[in-house]
Amino acid sequence: MSIATASAETEAALPFWLVNVPKSEWPEKCPDFLINASDRDRAILSTPDSQYYRPSWAEVQEYVKTSRIDAFRRLPSDLRRYLAFVAKLKEDYGSILNFITEKRLQWTDREPKDADPFNDPDTGFADDLKILYNDWPYGIDTKIIHLVVWTKFELEDDPATGELMAPTRQKIDKFVERTFRSRVPGDNVIWFKNWKSLKSVHGIEHFHVMLHDPDMGFVKEITNGDIPASQCTQ
């Protein structure tokens, strides 16, 4: 048995709240921010990072194509950091929504100025939406850049299916075509909107865009030099 295998087996035998934590940093009891972790999160947290599999771009495309959004996971150690981060920002801001609105989007007015969602930014209504990094991206191929497009206007769902209405989907796709596929090869761009049950932020409409191995100069331009919170808390 290799040292790496033995180490992974030892970690797997630990309580979920000690896995991926250096022994010198082990808490005496389960941290408060993990006490109410869901069964799904506990299963992920119980996995040593060394045993975690990062889906490829082709697999990520398949998840989106087949609406298997629930297949996305965070790297176990990142999930732990994310849950700690969420607990802290709730203390500081009261809610995730307040943090996103005040700190990330810096929107004091959430009323859209343009009656036509996804109008060309050249018309002067660019502040009706904002493109930022996903603060805590999924544990996928590291060449994939995960962005979020936040909007002040509603992205209409079909109440019967929970899926986007066809006209809304078409408008989003045209926006993605103009904004992303004009600068990144089309096969290297996908987008999706999370199911309501999977959203970590309710109250502000948004959808996700993933770019495979893009020019990072373009990413810096489109996000206005944004830095994800996960990089600020390492």
Side-chain angles (χ1 to χ4, degrees):
M1 181 184 297
S2 69
I3 294 177
T5 301
S7 176
E9 289 184 355
T10 298
E11 280 201 280
L14 293 171
F16 77 93
W17 45 274
L18 291 181
V19 178
N20 296 309
V21 179
K23 192 170 183 177
S24 60
E25 299 176 16
W26 281 2
E28 294 182 359
K29 60 180 182 178
C30 181
D32 289 345
F33 67 87
L34 293 179
I35 289 177
N36 295 317
S38 66
D39 290 342
R40 170 189 163 100
D41 284 348
R42 290 184 182 219
I44 297 171
L45 293 165
S46 297
T47 305
D49 279 356
S50 61
Q51 294 183 3
Y52 180 80
Y53 173 74
R54 289 182 177 271
S56 67
W57 175 242
E59 290 169 314
V60 167
Q61 289 177 301
E62 186 65 17
Y63 291 164
V64 174
K65 180 181 178 181
T66 57
S67 295
R68 292 177 56 211
I69 307 304
D70 59 328
F72 286 122
R73 306 257 190 293
R74 290 185 174 90
L75 182 72
S77 59
D78 281 351
L79 176 59
R80 182 189 181 93
R81 292 173 54 229
Y82 166 73
L83 293 173
F85 176 81
V86 167
K88 181 65 167 61
L89 72 81
K90 284 181 178 179
E91 289 181 5
D92 295 342
Y93 292 89
S95 69
I96 299 176
L97 177 62
N98 290 343
F99 168 75
I100 294 294
T101 305
E102 298 171 20
K103 183 72 174 179
R104 297 295 278 125
L105 297 174
Q106 298 181 9
W107 282 347
T108 55
D109 178 8
R110 287 170 51 188
E111 285 297 319
K113 295 182 174 62
D114 196 343
D116 183 12
F118 301 112
N119 210 341
D120 192 311
D122 291 339
T123 61
F125 297 109
D127 59 351
D128 280 353
L129 57 84
K130 186 170 285 190
I131 302 170
L132 300 174
Y133 274 95
N134 183 331
D135 279 327
W136 297 91
Y138 301 124
I140 52 184
D141 182 341
T142 55
K143 289 185 178 180
I144 299 173
I145 300 300
H146 188 169
L147 305 177
V148 180
V149 180
W150 299 91
T151 77
K152 290 183 178 180
F153 41 80
E154 182 181 3
L155 303 177
E156 191 176 5
D157 291 330
D158 182 334
T161 65
E163 298 286 338
L164 283 168
M165 298 289 283
T168 303
R169 180 173 292 279
Q170 291 170 2
K171 288 182 178 182
I172 293 176
D173 202 58
K174 286 182 179 179
F175 170 81
V176 170
E177 186 77 26
R178 182 179 72 238
T179 307
F180 298 100
R181 296 191 185 114
S182 63
R183 303 284 297 274
V184 180
D187 288 344
N188 288 357
V189 180
I190 54 174
W191 70 268
F192 64 90
K193 184 172 180 281
N194 257 341
W195 309 335
K196 288 185 178 180
S197 62
L198 294 177
K199 283 184 178 180
S200 57
V201 181
H202 296 268
I204 307 178
E205 290 279 28
H206 60 282
F207 62 93
H208 299 255
V209 176
M210 291 182 175
L211 311 175
H212 182 245
D213 200 19
D215 176 354
M216 294 307 294
F218 166 66
V219 175
K220 183 175 182 180
E221 173 190 335
I222 203 71
T223 64
N224 197 29
D226 184 46
I227 299 175
S230 55
Q231 291 186 16
C232 300
T233 59
Q234 290 181 352

